[in-house]
Amino acid sequence: IMDGNGRWAGARHLPRIAGHRAGIAAVREVVEGAARLGIEVLTLYAFSDENWGRPREEVSFLMNMLGGYLRSEIATMKANGIRFRTIGRTERLPKTAHRWVEKAVSETTGNRGMVLNLALSYGGRGEILEAVKRLREAPDSRGDLTEEQFSEHLDTAGLPDPDLIVRTSGEKRI
Ligand code: IPE
Ligand code: MG
């Protein structure tokens, strides 16, 4: 859970976006370190459903930064066998950022190394709601529903449950 960028910057008398830039540098280091350690799945909660409520300039800065990050990292992901995927309502992203997301997913889909999963426009309630909608359309939606069947309709289908959750910034909440 990526948090505390703004406070990191504020403590240094810098604008919030300087914190976001430093955050991206930290992301690069963490992704590289996790892959080297043999971590199977790394999920970065980069942008929540609630984050759309931030000032427009900040949202567009973050979206541009996301596009720029993917544009510069796709080659590295391919070279390192990283498989990129997302959870969340990515269709809500601005067109350019969305296109980079799709490109990163499709160009790394055959890779077998670490899964780099980005939570974008993600929220737990939204995820459950989408799962329920998908279930309503599933042909096998009648009869008893098991946890396993429900899990298959969550954004995280195919991903293991997390072993460790780190929230930067020092806040202890999810
Ligand atoms: C995390 O840092 C970055 C995003 C959520 C995009 P914040 O922007 O939440 O920084 P603080 O929590 O206000 O310090
Ligand atoms: Mg925050």
Side-chain angles (χ1 to χ4, degrees):
I1 304 175
M2 297 151 79
D3 194 21
N5 291 359
R7 280 166 280 178
W8 181 93
R12 287 158 183 78
H13 309 287
L14 297 167
R16 289 180 63 81
I17 59 168
H20 296 320
R21 281 208 188 93
I24 276 279
V27 163
R28 287 198 168 94
E29 254 180 79
V30 167
V31 171
E32 197 192 312
R36 212 176 26 221
L37 285 169
I39 303 286
E40 287 168 29
V41 180
L42 174 67
T43 296
L44 299 175
Y45 196 162
F47 196 85
S48 72
D49 270 342
E50 290 79 24
N51 287 155
W52 292 119
R54 293 191 179 198
R56 202 155 45 124
E57 309 74 56
E58 186 175 355
V59 170
S60 74
F61 180 86
L62 289 168
M63 291 298 145
N64 287 335
M65 207 170 65
L66 169 66
Y69 172 78
L70 293 175
R71 187 176 55 221
S72 72
E73 294 302 304
I74 288 177
T76 314
M77 288 190 230
K78 285 163 89 168
N80 292 298
I82 290 176
R83 184 149 54 98
F84 178 80
R85 59 170 283 177
T86 62
I87 54 174
R89 314 278 73 75
T90 51
E91 69 280 0
R92 293 185 186 160
L93 299 182
K95 215 182 287 161
T96 309
H98 189 239
R99 264 206 297 267
W100 282 109
V101 166
E102 305 252 273
K103 193 171 158 69
V105 171
S106 67
E107 293 205 7
T108 64
T109 187
N111 290 347
R112 287 290 163 262
M114 185 177 82
V115 173
L116 174 60
N117 182 34
L118 237 56
L120 294 168
S121 190
Y122 177 78
R125 291 186 185 95
E127 178 181 31
I128 292 167
L129 185 63
E130 284 302 314
V132 170
K133 286 183 188 168
R134 279 178 219 144
L135 266 166
R136 275 205 303 224
E137 270 143 42
D140 60 348
S141 62
R142 272 163 297 188
D144 272 346
L145 179 65
T146 64
E147 272 188 36
E148 287 73 23
Q149 286 167 331
F150 190 72
S151 299
E152 283 165 22
H153 294 273
L154 290 170
D155 293 355
T156 49
L159 295 173
D161 292 338
D163 290 314
L164 176 69
I165 300 179
V166 177
R167 182 180 189 119
T168 57
S169 82
E171 273 180 57
K172 294 188 173 62
R173 62 183 175 86
I174 57 169

